[in-house]
Amino acid sequence: MKYTGSQIILEVLKSEKVDTVFGYPGGAVLPLYDKLYHEKDIQHILVRHEQGGTHGAEGYAKSTGKVGVVISTSGPGATNTVTGIADAYLDSTPLVVITGQVARPLIGTDGFQETDIVGITSPITKSNSQIRNIEDIYKTLRNAFHIARSGRPGPVLVDIPKDIQAGSMEFNIKDLEEEYRKEYPDDIIEIPSLSSDDLATIKGIVKDLSLAKKPYIYTGGGLQNQQASKLLREFLKIAKIPHTSSFMGLGVVENSNEYHLGFLGMHGTYEANMALYECDYLLCMGARLSDRTTGRVNNFAKNAKFAHIDIDENMIDKIKQSDVSVVSDSAVALKEIIREWQEQTQSQSQSPSYKDWWQQIAKWKEKNSYAYKKTANNHALKPQEVLERLAEHTKDIKTHITTEVGQHQMFVGQFFPLNEPRSLITSGGLGTMGFGVPSSLGVAVANPDSTVLSIAGDGSFMMNLQELATIQSYNLNVKTIIFNNATLGMVHQWQDIIYEERFSSSEFSEHTNVHPDFIKLGESFHMPSSRVTHIGELDEHLKKMLDHKGGYLLEILIDPDEHVMPMLPPGASINEMILRELDCQSDSTTTEHSQEKK
Amino acid sequence: MNSKNTQENPKENTAINNDKTIFEIVTLDRPGILARISNIISSRWIGIKNLSTTLVNEKKGLYRILISSDKMEKTKRLQMFKQFSRIVPVMKVTELEENQIIQREIALVKIIGDADTRSQTLALAENYRAYPIDLRGNALVFEIQGTSDSIDKFIREMSHLGLTEYSRSGTVAINRGEVTIFDDLDPKYKL
């Protein structure tokens, strides 16, 4: 049968069981969009900006674990996808980005809307390539999906010249499939099993864990799936070892889990960080030890034996030298750890209880490092209190929560109960302001039965607010909640603490007509919108928002002077957290903080 | 569990006693590989002293990329090693130890001198086993092969004798003894 290049692209998408693509048409993808017009099996979400497309696909991928697919045109369309690709690269999110390119004879001539997108994205993609012949479309694109989701996932970009999309050739899909299998025989998604060396290593890890005085388990985004989450909860229950997670690993273990100490790092809990400083055995799984998590590396788990399990062997020893390591999927390793633990503790009269260690942790917990002062009457609201109220209102419904980047993001990690894997969709590694609004639409598309709570700061919200139109036009159940303090909160906080209160360009409030009227803005997008100005009206507005089916915009006026606390100053060691000074609490652990640049 | 080789992970090889850092990367021929590799190097502000790309198995499209630079500290070496390994078509990365490999380079050296120095020039060249391969008027071109150091030395000594230009190939290298580049690779890639 004769197929055009575009039809082959769609055949690949269908064989990869892609149900949704995010995209924006343009000159160099017209042939593909023409074929998409008749396509019944693939839903195309028309975003309003290509950056929204990549973040939308990230939301889709992060909330489901499936590969997110983006289509954009050449030139500016392609360059607009760049931030989302870099974001996906740092957060190990599987994406396939298909960009149109000018026709082959025009490549290299500075043709209209020509950019070398393969060159531009080479440092931020797991792999990328330009297709040179119509015969290559099938295998290159199939392989792109394989690379995106295998091992440690990541974004892959495939650049397809327009004349190849439009060209046609006699093909038999079965032959293409066979040819592909021949060329890439290892393209089978299988979770590799553990080698006998790995089994021995795990045996050793379990033995050391049970013999340790102060063991500690630290997990990351690599465990964001149902199976790993279930296994980890089970292991904590039987082993009774304290647990912490990176920000990206939140939700894997429920907040209320008695062995969970909260998250680690710059704005994590005091006890999670102190335990890391003091532990004598650290088991780290599915985490890459980002600098926001570790603080100064040479003091990170300084006195501990360090065991590292990760699916990407390149993460092992990258930041901190491990004493033992296993390259494995975390769920596979956890299954073995549990089995081994049960076997080893069965032979002893009782399993270890780490009593002294837990007592020490309880002392750190007494600091109550997330404590804050409730909203005073007639004052702007405290973000912590808003999130606690929101959690109360949504406790009986299925929710996903997306964030932008900044103070509100950290507050979500601290104050919103995240009880399921893949329930927090956030930009961790790249820290992309403008991620939240578009990613929320991707989450909503992928999870129609869920209420998506999209928490945004006023600064971040302004960066991709055009996607409100997408949310409304597909009638997605996204509640956009703007924490408006008329300030770039996180920058403001650093300037306050580190730059001696020189608030350079971080206060919108010093200008008049700071922001658009968010309520009118929401309404102009045909979205019911309202504003909370004092704490008394909060419950009523939250209820109204949640009762409404579909998109809603809620603006909440937030106290601009509220800091995210505790805080690990950049470059400081993990035991040098600054705690909030409350009237009721003396602060003994404040230390000098470094003047390192942001 | 991963098909890529990490046996020579610098972690176990902290004792490497080189004056420079040499990476050997075995990769399949895919567009943009060299760009990805040089991106990794340049983003760490490291100057490449020498880079060569050569076929090791034509049928299988397997290439050897040899990169040498000034000696790097261990963390930098380790991180670069890991980043090279992450590139999808890269099959194997090795940090080479100078006394475990044989290195050779070839150079063409042009001397424009006069009749007075010619015999001195030829004598010196003979010392270095450099062969005169072209003579036109006063211009002599020598071909010399050997280690980079010996070529450096030859060029230095020729500088008094009318050295005008030279062209160097960059280093090629091979393991000593029975160790080969195909060790730890799928046997199908062997010659």
Side-chain angles (χ1 to χ4, degrees), chain B residues 76-88:
Chain B
K76 240 182 201 176
R77 290 204 322 259
L78 184 68
Q79 289 181 349
M80 280 182 55
F81 181 93
K82 302 225 166 232
Q83 288 202 303
F84 291 142
S85 313
R86 268 189 91 182
I87 302 172
V88 172

Side-chain angles (χ1 to χ4, degrees), chain A residues 157-175:
Chain A
L157 181 137
V158 182
D159 194 36
I160 311 179
K162 185 177 184 180
D163 59 323
I164 296 182
Q165 297 167 34
S168 62
M169 221 175 131
E170 209 51 55
F171 281 115
N172 180 340
I173 296 290
K174 269 217 178 88
D175 292 349

Side-chain angles (χ1 to χ4, degrees), chain A residues 314-384:
Chain A
N314 299 314
M315 292 303 110
I316 288 166
D317 301 335
K318 188 181 86 171
I319 304 292
K320 185 177 166 65
Q321 184 81 50
S322 64
D323 295 299
V324 282
S325 62
V326 180
V327 176
S328 164
D329 175 72
S330 299
V332 174
L334 263 169
K335 218 179 233 167
E336 181 59 23
I337 289 173
I338 292 173
R339 201 194 58 71
E340 194 60 52
W341 181 275
Q342 282 166 334
E343 199 178 298
Q344 289 190 20
T345 50
Q346 233 163 39
S347 55
Q348 298 159 13
S349 55
Q350 61 185 66
S351 60
S353 65
Y354 316 112
K355 217 173 118 209
D356 295 346
W357 182 221
W358 277 109
Q359 269 171 6
Q360 171 68 66
I361 289 168
K363 263 190 208 131
W364 289 324
K365 264 191 183 163
E366 280 167 15
K367 290 260 182 208
N368 197 6
S369 56
Y370 285 172
Y372 67 95
K373 267 192 197 161
K374 295 264 179 196
T375 310
N377 266 345
N378 296 323
H379 264 78
L381 283 77
K382 295 283 185 184
Q384 300 96 323

Side-chain angles (χ1 to χ4, degrees), chain A residues 537-579:
Chain A
E537 354 173 277
L538 180 64
D539 284 323
E540 166 202 343
H541 282 270
L542 289 177
K543 190 167 176 327
K544 193 167 142 202
M545 171 185 86
L546 292 165
D547 285 346
H548 176 77
K549 292 265 167 290
Y552 192 98
L553 186 145
L554 184 65
E555 178 193 4
I556 302 177
L557 300 187
I558 294 290
D559 181 357
D561 295 322
E562 190 62 18
H563 284 175
V564 184
M565 282 292 160
M567 178 180 179
L568 193 60
S573 155
I574 200 142
N575 61 331
E576 297 171 347
M577 289 202 99
I578 307 174
L579 297 180

Side-chain angles (χ1 to χ4, degrees), chain A residues 89 122-123 125-128 132 147 152 192-193 198 312-318 321 327-328, chain B residues 1-2 4-6 9 11 30-31 35-36 39 74-75 78-79 81-83 85-88 188:
Chain A
Y89 187 64
S122 116
T125 47
K126 205 172 157 188
S127 167
N128 66 7
R132 311 265 162 95
I147 294 171
R152 176 178 171 205
S193 55
D198 294 336
D312 183 356
E313 63 178 331
N314 299 314
M315 292 303 110
I316 288 166
D317 301 335
K318 188 181 86 171
Q321 184 81 50
V327 176
S328 164
Chain B
M1 303 187 59
N2 191 313
K4 283 182 192 175
N5 167 282
T6 50
N9 190 326
K11 166 181 147 191
R30 297 275 184 275
R36 273 180 183 265
N39 260 340
K74 191 184 143 206
T75 346
L78 184 68
Q79 289 181 349
F81 181 93
K82 302 225 166 232
Q83 288 202 303
S85 313
R86 268 189 91 182
I87 302 172
V88 172
K188 73 178 177 193

Side-chain angles (χ1 to χ4, degrees), chain B residues 27 74 77 118 128 137 153 164 181:
Chain B
T27 175
K74 191 184 143 206
R77 290 204 322 259
R118 172 136 327 147
Y128 279 89
K153 234 162 140 192
T164 322
I181 197 168

